[in-house]
């Protein structure tokens, strides 16, 4: 694997870890309080996670490590746990925006 690919993969992994962390806080709030706090409504939603995940191309590929694939799977599962429709809407919005850039 060349240096540029590794650097890009590392950036993607770091972004996935960030998404996973934000989603973990949202899931914890849902379990403890039964809803998201006002601050979380703005930034920690499943739609936002789906949008970022799709926009930045964070879906694991054959060249990614097992750890990368695990974190990507965790992000998808947690976001879907919060709201499957929001996750899908975020992904769809990002795909639409990407198609407009082509």
């Amino acid at each position: 694997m060349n240096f540029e690919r590794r650097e890009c993969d590392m950036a993607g992994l770091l972004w996935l870890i960030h998404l996973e962390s934000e989603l973990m806080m949202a899931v914890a709030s849902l379990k403890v309080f039964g809803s998201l706090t006002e601050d979380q409504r703005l930034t920690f939603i499943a739609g936002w996670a789906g949008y970022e995940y799709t926009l930045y191309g964070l879906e694991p590929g054959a060249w990614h490590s097992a750890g990368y694939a695990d974190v990507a799977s965790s992000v998808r599962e947690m976001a879907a746990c919060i709201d499957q429709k929001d996750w899908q809407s975020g992904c769809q919005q990002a795909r639409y925006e990407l198609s407009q850039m082509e």
Side-chain angles (χ1 to χ4, degrees):
M1 183 184 301
N2 67 27
F3 179 74
E4 285 181 19
R5 167 85 58 159
R6 279 189 304 213
E7 192 173 289
C8 184
D9 289 349
M10 180 58 84
L13 179 59
L14 291 174
W15 194 248
L16 278 172
I17 291 169
H18 169 75
L19 281 174
E20 184 181 42
S21 174
E22 299 294 338
L23 288 166
M24 280 182 173
M25 289 190 302
V27 168
S29 286
L30 285 170
K31 288 182 179 181
V32 172
F33 303 113
S35 64
L36 297 175
T37 66
E38 193 58 39
D39 291 340
Q40 288 175 319
R41 289 179 207 278
L42 300 175
T43 59
F44 303 141
I45 58 171
W48 169 77
Y51 180 83
E52 298 283 323
Y53 186 90
T54 304
L55 186 68
Y56 294 113
L58 300 174
E59 183 73 31
W63 62 90
H64 287 110
S65 68
Y68 185 103
D70 286 345
V71 177
S73 176
S74 175
V75 166
R76 283 191 310 269
E77 289 171 14
M78 279 192 288
C81 174
I82 293 170
D83 193 316
Q84 178 72 27
K85 287 182 182 179
D86 280 352
W87 165 260
Q88 290 172 343
S89 291
C91 293
Q92 184 177 15
Q93 179 64 34
R95 283 191 296 270
Y96 171 77
E97 290 180 19
L98 288 169
S99 74
Q100 296 302 302
M101 288 189 241
E102 293 175 349

